[in-house]
Amino acid sequence: MEAEAPDLPVEVIRYILSFLSTSDRKEASLVSRAWYAASLDRSLQKNILYNLQATCASLESISGLGRRQSPCLALSNLDGSTVSKMVIQSVALHLAPHLEKLSLRDSNITETSFMALIPSCRNLRGLDIGGCNSLFMPGTLLSKEESKARVEEALADLRELDLSNLRYLSDSTFNRLAGCTPGLQTLSLAGCHITIEFDPYRGTQARNSTAVLSLNNILHFVSRQAAMLKGLDFSRTGITNEAMRSLVQVAGLRLEGLVLQHCKDFTDDAVCAICAWQPGLATLDLTGCTELTGKSVEAVASSLRCLERLSLGKVRRITDRSLRGLAAIPTLRALDLSECYQISGGELVKGLASPWATVGLASLNLSCCTMVNDSCVFSMARILGESLRELDLTSCIYITDISVHDIANYLRSLTALRLGWCKEITDWGLLGMSAPSDNCRPSRKQGDNEPKFSRTFGNMGFFAPPKYLDDKPRIVTVSDMAASKEKGTSLSALTCLKELSLTACTKLTDTSITKEIRFEELKTLSLSMVRNITDESIASIAMHCRSLERLFLSHCSQLTDHGMIAAMRYMKRLTHLDISCCDKITDQALEVLSQECKWLKSLDVSMCSGLTIAGIKRIQLLHPTLTSIQARYLGGADLSLTL
């Protein structure tokens, strides 16, 4: 009999686990006690956020998390009840000494509970109390010197503070809390009502109003903290050009991140001031600032030479012409142009292809840019090549099979690809093949309302996408595939893919799904509203995508219990499942789901006429980790049910 291999040292096991994703480590920890003990190492817990609700069931988990020395925790459903107080006490005893990040967002925590928890958190680096209006409503938070001294001692090393969406935040409470955080680097006041034009103090030095949060008081804090502050978030506030100019001109302020989402009173003048006074910005988020134009983009391109992330989503007045200069920013890695309807990508491509371009984008979001076509995708794919990791082309309605071939051929390093609502994509695109010319429409002349593709595609070996006479998918047969000559690369070439969205790509069928959706590392897949797929597709996906955690199959009406039961036996890591509007699925499938998918947390079975309320309640009882069940209009009844 062969001698058993000696146990590996804990240090070696820990080193091995450090290369695995969170879900992989979870599975590996079940190998043996030694592997389980190694998985609890603090260094492996840093990026894991544990979400706990203020319930009796959570009390059993808290002591276990204490042994893990978990550094990140989110508490929800806190209020003044006895159960909430017990949870707070248990967290303070077992978890608080190890916590580095704590979120109490949108809870109804009271001042008493807050003071029972925070002084015990001596190692906090990040605190999120956004939306905790019950904590600030009385206006007495930290009003006692003893309480303030205890909190100040605990938050001495705090770096990030989130005070967003607070209706009752005033100068008085803000000053008390800010005075306890001498090392603060990032502050969020998103969604807070800030008095901009009106000065409640009429030029005096008093800044202790219990009724308003004033811009003058915030400027005073920024001036005092300028040497430390690195990031500010004023999203969804009424901040004006003059207010922003005063803010960025504060002496000694050197920001690295600035978030200004949906600031409706913001114009190009404010962006020019930001670029002139804060040239060291690495992150700038201007999403939804609808008054901005191309002038802002040009100012960013010419001044912010250290910029890494730029978000211009929903800034619909910018045009192609202003984007060309962005290619000259050498550090730019992420660009969001979603819902910029005048963008076709042509000028951006010219900038990226120019000799002076140094940018290597890792993330590009062109979602809902309806002017983007195959020509743009082809050029970008060739230029960006191995650098691009995430590409979002959702609702780019002129995207066809040609683009899919280009993506598969040139963007081999993609980890996330979103092609939802690109309805011209067919099986041939995913398979990397050219469609036979028979049974297809004759080519038409390009009209004003049709996409204008480059004529050079013919010389490069590309082909036009098939156009079906009845606008329905043509089922690809074995003889079709044998007769077709491969002229592109199939989707399966994207071996690094972890997220794929083909939502509402209605011309796809089992033929391409079963042969191309075979990604070992795929964690998120959306095939919602791909109505032609059957049980064959879901069974194939389950067998070849064993790492799946999130699966969306809404409105896939041909799926039945047979396919779902066959698939569930392989989807051991599934945490989120959406099978809403799948009428052929019954309680029998849910029974197997509760037995096979032990990690399931979220389930959506809305408008599934084959399911019953009794079946839903049963799976909730059998599945303790299942915390969210959406069952709206179940069984055809006008019923909204969230368990």
Side-chain angles (χ1 to χ4, degrees), residues 253-363:
L253 185 64
R254 297 292 181 268
L255 292 177
E256 295 178 2
L258 187 56
V259 182
L260 299 164
Q261 295 182 6
H262 302 284
C263 292
K264 304 297 184 181
D265 298 325
F266 223 56
T267 68
D268 294 331
D269 291 340
V271 176
C272 291
I274 291 171
C275 295
W277 291 93
Q278 300 296 327
L281 280 175
T283 299
L284 180 59
D285 191 340
L286 300 172
T287 301
C289 296
T290 53
E291 296 300 312
L292 302 184
T293 68
K295 183 180 178 181
S296 292
V297 184
E298 291 169 359
V300 168
S302 61
S303 302
L304 303 184
R305 312 307 296 175
C306 300
L307 197 64
E308 296 177 6
R309 305 183 66 86
L310 176 62
S311 298
L312 297 170
K314 299 182 181 180
V315 185
R316 293 165 183 165
R317 296 177 65 183
I318 63 174
T319 60
D320 267 322
R321 184 179 179 183
S322 59
L323 298 178
R324 191 169 185 175
L326 293 178
I329 304 177
T331 55
L332 191 62
R333 295 293 176 267
L335 179 60
D336 182 355
L337 297 170
S338 58
E339 298 187 48
C340 295
Y341 300 136
Q342 299 188 62
I343 300 298
S344 69
E347 291 298 318
L348 181 60
V349 166
K350 291 179 181 178
L352 293 171
S354 61
W356 43 264
T358 55
V359 66
L361 286 177
S363 175

Side-chain angles (χ1 to χ4, degrees), residues 342-638:
Q342 299 188 62
I343 300 298
S344 69
E347 291 298 318
L348 181 60
V349 166
K350 291 179 181 178
L352 293 171
S354 61
W356 43 264
T358 55
V359 66
L361 286 177
S363 175
L364 179 60
N365 188 346
L366 295 172
S367 172
C368 297
C369 294
T370 52
M371 294 178 65
V372 172
N373 59 29
D374 289 335
S375 177
C376 173
V377 175
F378 168 68
S379 301
M380 285 187 177
R382 291 195 63 182
I383 295 168
L384 297 176
E386 296 297 320
S387 70
L388 200 62
R389 298 291 184 272
E390 298 182 14
L391 178 61
D392 193 335
L393 297 173
T394 303
S395 295
C396 292
I397 57 175
Y398 293 145
I399 296 300
T400 70
D401 292 339
I402 295 174
S403 290
V404 180
H405 296 146
D406 296 335
I407 291 168
N409 192 31
Y410 295 107
L411 302 178
R412 299 293 181 88
S413 298
L414 278 183
T415 59
L417 176 61
R418 304 179 189 97
L419 297 171
W421 296 91
C422 297
K423 295 190 174 184
E424 294 303 313
I425 294 176
T426 71
D427 285 338
W428 301 108
L430 270 60
L431 292 167
M433 296 181 175
S434 58
S437 59
D438 57 303
N439 296 327
C440 295
R441 290 177 180 171
S443 59
R444 296 175 295 176
K445 293 183 179 180
Q446 292 178 342
D448 293 336
N449 296 324
E450 294 184 78
K452 300 179 180 180
F453 303 122
S454 172
R455 297 189 179 188
T456 58
F457 284 131
N459 299 326
M460 295 181 181
F462 291 89
F463 43 88
K467 299 291 184 181
Y468 305 108
L469 290 172
D470 54 1
D471 204 33
K472 294 181 179 180
R474 181 181 186 275
I475 302 302
V476 185
T477 64
V478 175
S479 59
D480 285 336
M481 295 176 64
S484 177
K485 296 181 180 180
E486 293 193 16
K487 293 187 178 181
T489 306
S490 68
L491 193 70
S492 58
L494 303 178
T495 54
C496 300
L497 215 56
K498 294 183 179 180
E499 179 184 348
L500 176 63
S501 174
L502 296 171
T503 301
C505 293
T506 53
K507 294 182 179 179
L508 297 179
T509 67
D510 289 340
T511 304
S512 62
I513 300 298
T514 55
K515 286 184 168 49
E516 297 303 322
I517 310 297
R518 299 185 175 191
F519 304 105
E520 294 182 356
E521 299 296 323
L522 194 67
K523 297 183 182 298
T524 302
L525 175 64
S526 177
L527 293 173
S528 295
M529 291 181 277
V530 184
R531 295 185 174 88
N532 294 290
I533 62 172
T534 66
D535 292 338
E536 185 180 357
S537 285
I538 188 61
S540 175
I541 290 168
M543 289 185 64
H544 297 102
C545 303
R546 301 291 183 94
S547 297
L548 263 183
E549 297 177 9
R550 303 171 67 89
L551 180 60
F552 302 90
L553 299 169
S554 174
H555 291 84
C556 294
S557 55
Q558 297 191 51
L559 298 183
T560 68
D561 285 350
H562 179 73
M564 292 302 298
I565 291 172
M568 291 305 108
R569 303 189 192 281
Y570 298 99
M571 294 184 176
K572 302 296 185 181
R573 299 186 181 183
L574 205 63
T575 59
H576 297 80
L577 177 64
D578 183 354
I579 49 174
S580 57
C581 299
C582 295
D583 295 332
K584 296 180 181 179
I585 295 175
T586 69
D587 291 345
Q588 183 182 358
L590 293 188
E591 189 78 21
V592 176
L593 183 68
S594 65
Q595 297 172 5
E596 300 292 342
C597 301
K598 300 297 184 182
W599 301 113
L600 197 65
K601 298 178 181 178
S602 173
L603 175 66
D604 192 338
V605 291
S606 302
M607 294 180 280
C608 290
S609 59
L611 298 179
T612 64
I613 297 294
I616 296 299
K617 291 184 177 180
R618 177 174 171 77
I619 189 176
Q620 188 190 28
L621 293 174
L622 295 176
H623 214 306
T625 65
L626 189 55
T627 57
S628 174
I629 302 179
Q630 297 294 326
R632 297 179 298 276
Y633 307 108
L634 195 64
D638 188 10

Side-chain angles (χ1 to χ4, degrees), residues 77-351:
N77 295 339
L78 291 171
D79 50 31
S81 65
T82 302
V83 173
S84 290
K85 293 177 181 178
M86 292 172 61
V87 169
I88 289 290
Q89 292 174 357
S90 185
V91 169
L93 177 63
H94 297 287
L95 296 180
H98 314 296
L99 287 179
E100 293 183 4
K101 292 186 178 181
L102 174 63
S103 174
L104 305 173
R105 172 168 287 275
D106 296 329
S107 65
N108 292 317
I109 188 172
T110 62
E111 184 178 349
T112 303
S113 296
F114 183 81
M115 290 306 302
L117 174 60
I118 297 302
S120 302
C121 303
R122 299 301 183 93
N123 295 304
L124 273 186
R125 299 294 183 271
L127 177 61
D128 183 353
I129 48 178
C132 296
N133 287 294
S134 60
L135 182 61
F136 291 87
M137 186 185 299
T140 59
L141 181 64
L142 304 180
S143 58
K144 297 179 181 179
E145 289 300 325
E146 180 186 356
S147 299
K148 185 177 180 181
R150 292 173 60 202
V151 172
E152 186 174 2
E153 185 179 358
L155 302 184
D157 295 324
L158 194 73
R159 298 292 181 265
E160 301 176 7
L161 179 61
D162 193 328
L163 300 175
S164 57
N165 302 321
L166 291 174
R167 295 194 299 271
Y168 304 104
L169 185 63
S170 65
D171 283 345
S172 179
T173 51
F174 175 80
N175 290 341
R176 292 185 210 134
L177 191 55
C180 297
T181 59
L184 196 64
Q185 296 180 355
T186 303
L187 173 66
S188 174
L189 294 171
C192 293
H193 180 71
I194 301 173
T195 302
I196 305 291
E197 305 292 344
F198 173 67
D199 181 9
Y201 308 111
R202 299 183 179 181
T204 66
Q205 295 300 314
R207 297 182 181 88
N208 55 1
S209 172
T210 59
V212 298
L213 177 65
S214 66
L215 176 65
N216 284 341
N217 186 58
I218 295 172
L219 288 175
H220 178 72
F221 164 76
V222 172
S223 299
R224 188 177 71 247
Q225 197 71 17
M228 296 291 294
L229 275 180
K230 301 299 180 185
L232 292 172
D233 186 347
F234 285 94
S235 299
R236 304 185 308 282
T237 61
I239 195 163
T240 61
N241 294 346
E242 293 75 16
M244 182 52 60
R245 190 177 294 108
S246 300
L247 183 67
V248 296
Q249 291 183 18
V250 170
L253 185 64
R254 297 292 181 268
L255 292 177
E256 295 178 2
L258 187 56
V259 182
L260 299 164
Q261 295 182 6
H262 302 284
C263 292
K264 304 297 184 181
D265 298 325
F266 223 56
T267 68
D268 294 331
D269 291 340
V271 176
C272 291
I274 291 171
C275 295
W277 291 93
Q278 300 296 327
L281 280 175
T283 299
L284 180 59
D285 191 340
L286 300 172
T287 301
C289 296
T290 53
E291 296 300 312
L292 302 184
T293 68
K295 183 180 178 181
S296 292
V297 184
E298 291 169 359
V300 168
S302 61
S303 302
L304 303 184
R305 312 307 296 175
C306 300
L307 197 64
E308 296 177 6
R309 305 183 66 86
L310 176 62
S311 298
L312 297 170
K314 299 182 181 180
V315 185
R316 293 165 183 165
R317 296 177 65 183
I318 63 174
T319 60
D320 267 322
R321 184 179 179 183
S322 59
L323 298 178
R324 191 169 185 175
L326 293 178
I329 304 177
T331 55
L332 191 62
R333 295 293 176 267
L335 179 60
D336 182 355
L337 297 170
S338 58
E339 298 187 48
C340 295
Y341 300 136
Q342 299 188 62
I343 300 298
S344 69
E347 291 298 318
L348 181 60
V349 166
K350 291 179 181 178

Side-chain angles (χ1 to χ4, degrees), residues 20-94:
L20 304 180
S21 64
T22 302
S23 55
D24 288 336
R25 287 203 302 269
K26 189 185 297 183
E27 296 293 328
S29 67
L30 303 178
V31 170
S32 66
R33 289 183 181 275
W35 283 72
Y36 177 74
S39 70
L40 302 184
D41 187 83
R42 184 177 176 83
S43 63
L44 300 176
Q45 302 287 323
K46 286 186 176 181
N47 297 322
I48 301 176
L49 176 66
Y50 290 93
N51 291 277
L52 293 179
Q53 294 186 345
T55 62
C56 293
S58 298
L59 293 172
E60 301 177 5
S61 305
I62 292 173
S63 59
L65 292 177
R67 290 193 295 272
R68 293 173 179 250
Q69 297 187 2
S70 308
C72 304
L73 177 68
L75 290 174
S76 58
N77 295 339
L78 291 171
D79 50 31
S81 65
T82 302
V83 173
S84 290
K85 293 177 181 178
M86 292 172 61
V87 169
I88 289 290
Q89 292 174 357
S90 185
V91 169
L93 177 63
H94 297 287

